[in-house]
Amino acid sequence: MELRRVVSLPPYVFSEVNELKVAARRAGRDVIDLGFGNPDIASPAVAVDKLAEAVRNPRNHRYSASRGIPKLRQAVAQLYLRRFGVELDPEREVVSTIGAKEGLSHLMWVLVGPGDTALSPSPSYPIHMYAPVFAGAKVELIRLDRLGRQGTASGDELLGALEEAWAAAAPKPRVAILSFPHNPTTVCVDLEAMTRAVAWAREREVLLVHDFAYSDTAFDGFRPPSILEVPGAMECAVELYTLTKSFSMAGWRVAFLVGNAEVVAGLSQLKSYLDYGTFQPIQIAATVAMNEAPEYPAQVSAIYQSRRDVLCDGLSRIGWEVDRPRGTMFVWAPLPAAYAEMGSLDFSKYLVAEAAVATSPGVGFGPGGEGSVRFALIENEQRIAQAVRSLRRTLRKL
Ligand SMILES: Cc1ncc(COP(=O)(O)O)c(C=O)c1O
């Protein structure tokens, strides 16, 4: 039987490295895992305590509201006002999702179908490319690897990439997915570039979907802009905001789609058919996290910044030059020249086998990802320093 929606999916290359890691660990090796972007930092204590309390109340054991309980939606509206100066109507402009990944995937069902085209960044977090495909649409890639190097992309660079993708798309796209700070390249944009992207979308009559997963993971005083800070963005943009990285609540599966009311209503309608929302005690605890631990995202981000420094300084000391990211929980590292011929998958496998350090091969993030590996900052500073020492011993050609 043909499994239609999955038959054309390429093999998930990350699992090849992961299997090597698991096998090495089984054989008793201490592998330092900087592969998967799975946060290791604890969730806020107030949320954990509230969850334990709320779960004991049988009233919370029933089906919850698929679009999120009112207090949860109010809490994210307050967070947006406090954090970005953006006013959101919690009734019309906010819907809760079971993580940003679920939200983005089902949003594509709402927005595109067979015969449509969506623009998606590449390299990218894999669901950015596959969500439109699961909905039956075609994807044209916005080549972020052609923007300067990591660091900050200018408005001109972003517009150039959008225009190039637009020109190649047939039929003309209805939707463009963006995500800054960007996983995996760590490219960031400022409000000026966002403003240019919004003006472009209005002119081209494209809906912008901004995945803002690293809204709070930013360093050295950089403050990533919400797309909704741009005047007029409410007419042509929606944004995914998640507690996964900001509040280090990955397993809880709490995120939101916010912005254009018509699109929010569309996703709410679809989700009313698909799910009953996140387990209510989790929604209650997530509300408490946003209301009572507003300082937590900055604390989490400071931890990632220190880890970034240990990794970037360490790699530089051993002769592997990488750019120092301004945001995300990753370091995007071009393969050292002497190893470039191996390609990112073989190089990642080599690092697990020889250095006991797991990374993600760039090729797994789609076209433009080859030639780099991604380090995720999900082990503590001591472990990252240990990884650098091990890399120094292994990479003798540096
Ligand atoms: C760009 C991006 N979007 C979404 C997610 C996942 O978010 P969530 O846990 O809310 O589904 C990640 C996680 O790594 C990510 O990098």
Side-chain angles (χ1 to χ4, degrees), residues 25-49:
R25 281 189 170 161
R26 253 195 226 120
R29 290 195 77 193
D30 173 21
V31 179
I32 301 173
D33 188 1
L34 306 177
F36 184 23
N38 193 356
D40 63 314
I41 301 165
S43 305
V46 282
V48 175
D49 292 345

Side-chain angles (χ1 to χ4, degrees), residues 103-384:
L104 183 83
S105 305
H106 286 140
L107 179 60
M108 290 302 135
W109 287 24
V110 174
L111 298 174
V112 292
D116 291 327
T117 310
L119 304 186
S120 165
S122 181
S124 79
Y125 186 55
I127 197 65
H128 289 175
M129 277 180 274
Y130 288 108
V133 172
F134 286 135
K138 275 201 318 195
V139 167
E140 202 59 59
L141 301 177
I142 309 166
R143 291 298 294 264
L144 294 188
D145 56 310
R146 299 192 189 136
L147 304 184
R149 285 285 309 280
Q150 298 98 296
T152 308
S154 68
D156 279 349
E157 285 178 309
L158 180 57
L159 234 60
L162 282 169
E163 270 299 300
E164 191 187 338
W166 165 273
K172 288 305 167 206
R174 294 165 51 84
V175 171
I177 299 171
L178 292 177
S179 185
F180 296 106
H182 182 248
N183 172 16
T185 65
T186 75
V187 168
C188 296
V189 297
D190 59 16
L191 190 58
E192 186 261 341
M194 276 298 191
T195 307
R196 300 274 305 275
V198 168
W200 175 86
R202 292 177 77 165
E203 193 186 314
R204 297 292 196 193
E205 296 182 6
V206 168
L207 180 84
L208 288 179
V209 176
H210 184 230
D211 179 351
F212 203 20
Y214 300 96
S215 47
D216 300 286
T217 318
F219 316 131
D220 311 320
F222 174 61
R223 197 182 69 77
S226 157
I227 200 165
L228 301 178
E229 286 176 52
V230 178
M234 239 15 152
E235 284 157 44
C236 66
V238 283
E239 184 159 82
L240 287 147
Y241 179 86
T242 173
L243 302 199
T244 285
K245 306 291 157 64
S246 299
F247 288 84
S248 213
M249 292 174 67
W252 301 56
R253 315 310 299 133
V254 181
F256 304 89
L257 182 78
V258 300
N260 183 276
E262 193 188 342
V263 177
V264 165
L267 183 61
S268 308
Q269 193 183 357
L270 178 69
K271 280 174 65 63
S272 72
Y273 281 81
L274 295 180
D275 67 64
Y276 288 107
T278 301
F279 186 38
Q280 191 150 294
I282 293 180
Q283 295 192 43
I284 293 169
T287 306
V288 165
M290 286 187 278
N291 289 343
E292 294 180 25
E295 70 300 338
Y296 209 69
Q299 291 168 3
V300 170
S301 184
I303 295 173
Y304 288 128
Q305 180 171 321
S306 305
R307 293 175 178 182
R308 173 206 66 170
D309 290 341
V310 172
L311 183 60
C312 291
D313 293 345
L315 292 180
S316 165
R317 259 198 319 276
I318 67 171
W320 187 353
E321 285 305 332
V322 298
D323 283 351
R324 192 177 288 260
R326 299 176 78 198
T328 76
M329 54 189 288
F330 307 110
V331 170
W332 182 240
L335 266 53
Y339 298 87
E341 264 184 26
M342 288 176 89
S344 61
L345 180 56
D346 281 350
F347 185 64
S348 277
K349 289 180 172 175
Y350 175 71
L351 293 186
V352 179
E354 300 298 324
V357 174
T359 57
S360 293
V363 67
F365 300 99
E370 184 50 283
S372 297
V373 291
R374 191 195 71 179
F375 290 91
L377 301 168
I378 52 152
E379 297 240 28
N380 67 32
E381 290 174 41
Q382 289 70 28
R383 299 273 292 165
I384 291 174

